Amino acid sequence: MAAITAGYAIDLHTHSLRSDGALSPAELVKRAAARGVKIQALSDHDTLAGIAEATATGESLGVRIIPATELNTESEWGDAHVLGYFIDPQDAALEDRLRWLRENRGRRIELMVGNLNALGYAVDLVRVLEIAQGGALGRPHLAQALFEKGYVKSYDAAFDTLLAKDSPAYVARVGLSPIEAVTLVREHGGVPSLAHPGTVLGLDELLPELVAVGLAGIEAYYGEHTPEMTARCLDRARTLDLVPTGGSDFHGRGDHGTDLGGVFVPPETIERLESRRGRA
Ligand SMILES: [Zn+2]
Ligand SMILES: [Zn+2]
C-alpha cells in the first residue's frame, strides 16, 4: 500500500474486511485518522457488523464514525448502489434483512466458482472464503483468487474479463431493486444517497423514482467521476433537492482507486444529511 499522505477531513464511503475491503474496521479507521480524516462513514456492503469496532477505534483517535451500509441492487439500472447513513447498528430487523442479502451473495459466488471451474479455471471456494475472512462475499474476492492463480494479469483485469457481466462465468445477483433499497433504508430510519451515479444506467429516469420513495442524497464527489459527471450530479442535486455526498469508496485492495479522504466533501454535507433524517 502507498505511503500515507494527508487527505481531506470527510469521507462518507469506506469498506472494511466485514464486507469486501482489505482492512479490519479498526485498521481502516487508524489509516483514516493518519490521513487526517475526522468524519468517516463505514459503509460495508449489506452489513452493520463492523460499525461497533470502527466507532470504538474512532473514539480513541478523534474520528467520528457515521454508521452506514451500502446496499447492492439487482436490476436493469446497472450498478445502482444505495448508501444508507445514520442507521442504527443495533437494528436487529435490518440486520436480518441484510443477512438474507449476504446469504444470496454467498450462493452467487459459489455458483460463479462452479462456472469458472467448468471453464477450466481452478479457483477453490475454500481459498475464496479465506480471502473474504468472514466478510460479505463478492466478486473482489474471486478477482483476488484468480489473480493469485495467475489467470489474470491484475486484480482489475479479472473484472474486465472473467468476472464481467458478459462472461460465461457471471451469475446475476438476486437482491433488492434500487427502489426497494431506498425504501429499506428509510423504513429503518436511515438517510439514503445514491452511490457513484456514473455506474447507473438511465440515471435521469431512475432519480425521480428514487426521490419519490425518499432518496435524500447523490454521491457527486467521487474519485472516478469526470468533471462532467460531477457537474451533472451537482445539477441533479439542485433540481431534485438532493444533498451532494462524496467519498473514496476505499477498499484497500490493489493499487487502484482513491485513498481514504481522497475526495473533497464540503463540511456542510453532514448537517444537511442529518436534517434529512425522518423526512422523506
Ligand atoms: Zn458501490
Ligand atoms: Zn462502495
Side-chain angles (χ1 to χ4, degrees), residues 13-15 20 43 45 70 81 83 195-196 222 249-251:
H13 190 160
T14 70
H15 296 278
D20 56 355
S43 55
H45 297 281
E70 181 177 19
H81 296 176
L83 292 155
H196 43 70
Y222 192 75
D249 204 0
F250 181 78
H251 284 74

Side-chain angles (χ1 to χ4, degrees), residues 59-91:
E59 275 167 10
S60 69
L61 297 175
V63 180
R64 176 184 170 193
I65 300 298
I66 294 179
T69 185
E70 181 177 19
L71 302 176
N72 289 55
T73 64
E74 200 49 54
S75 71
E76 70 280 18
W77 300 100
D79 285 321
H81 296 176
V82 174
L83 292 155
Y85 294 114
F86 306 113
I87 39 144
D88 173 6
Q90 318 280 354
D91 185 334

